[in-house]
Amino acid sequence: MKKKKITTLVASLALVGAVAFGATLAYFTDSDNATNTITMGHVDIDLTEPNYPGGEEGGKIENVVPNQNIVKDPTITLVDGSEDAYVRAKIEYKFDGQDMPEEMVKELEANIDVLSNWVKGEDGYLYFQNKLTSENNSVKLFTHVVIPEKWGNEVANKAIEIKVSAEAIQANSFEPTRNELNEIVAWSYEDGTAITPETYKAQ
């Protein structure tokens, strides 16, 4: 079966820095050589942590202890002029520079308060269930992280990294994949192929 091509506007970034996709298409009519120019829109998001005590991306908090509550509030914002968009986010973990062991991930994730209207898909992404618009242009993923109280000397003097990345896709003329509960759980083409966002820097 021939795959039907769908044009999508997407944006992807990790914590800091906005990216966007845009293009201009010129169409010449057959009648009198008039030129019709259609300028495509773009999807543009920012990902910030306005209250994170470590400061900018990569900022470190030192001398953390078990059961400590750390303010960490990844916030996705639709940039002015962007098309309405659906957004999704992914959280990745490192321990001492390596992928965090699965058991540690489970313990840490149990202490991260992912907010309502986010649903985790089988692909590991968290999908926000509403689209961002110029009127409702911002959403938080969570607000804080509590270091598991049972973590002990095995984590002493080790670095823990929590990386949040965010992606956006146009809301108009696009229908996300939904489960039996009508929850958004994936972004796919009509043939079921998963959409992989590409990163384009704004011109």
Side-chain angles (χ1 to χ4, degrees):
M1 171 182 257
K2 187 175 180 181
K3 178 178 174 182
K4 181 177 180 182
K5 184 177 180 181
I6 300 177
T7 300
T8 55
L9 306 177
V10 296
S12 173
L13 64 148
L15 195 58
V16 175
V19 294
F21 174 92
T24 300
L25 173 66
Y27 173 75
F28 295 89
T29 67
D30 291 333
S31 56
D32 59 0
N33 293 323
T35 301
N36 297 322
T37 300
I38 302 171
T39 301
M40 296 177 67
H42 66 282
V43 171
D44 197 354
I45 54 174
D46 276 338
L47 177 58
T48 59
E49 292 181 324
N51 297 303
Y52 176 60
E56 300 296 329
E57 178 184 10
K60 295 181 179 179
I61 303 176
E62 298 182 341
N63 300 318
V64 173
V65 297
N67 209 37
Q68 181 171 335
N69 189 323
I70 299 171
V71 174
K72 185 174 174 65
D73 55 343
T75 304
I76 305 170
T77 302
L78 197 66
V79 175
D80 288 345
S82 173
E83 302 295 325
D84 295 349
Y86 291 107
V87 296
R88 66 183 181 182
K90 180 173 281 189
I91 310 172
E92 298 172 285
Y93 308 90
K94 297 282 186 181
F95 176 65
D96 202 27
Q98 304 296 321
D99 289 341
M100 184 176 287
E102 185 176 346
E103 188 60 33
M104 290 184 69
V105 170
K106 290 179 180 179
E107 292 172 344
L108 189 55
E109 285 188 333
N111 288 351
I112 296 178
D113 64 328
V114 174
L115 301 177
S116 61
N117 287 328
W118 290 92
V119 173
K120 193 169 187 177
E122 293 183 0
D123 55 8
Y125 281 96
L126 291 155
Y127 289 85
F128 187 54
Q129 298 302 296
N130 301 317
K131 59 187 176 183
L132 296 186
T133 67
S134 57
E135 292 79 23
N136 298 290
N137 69 339
S138 184
V139 61
K140 289 185 184 295
L141 181 58
F142 53 87
T143 60
H144 67 271
V145 176
V146 177
I147 302 302
E149 64 178 353
K150 292 184 179 180
W151 285 9
N153 289 334
E154 72 277 7
V155 300
N157 299 315
K158 304 292 186 181
I160 297 168
E161 179 182 335
I162 302 174
K163 177 186 176 182
V164 178
S165 57
E167 298 172 355
I169 190 168
Q170 68 189 62
N172 295 330
S173 301
F174 173 72
E175 181 56 41
T177 303
R178 298 176 182 270
N179 62 15
E180 64 277 3
L181 299 177
N182 201 36
E183 298 168 328
I184 298 172
V185 292
W187 294 348
S188 305
Y189 292 104
E190 288 184 356
D191 67 357
T193 305
I195 293 174
T196 302
E198 297 179 353
T199 299
Y200 290 88
K201 293 184 179 180
Q203 299 298 314

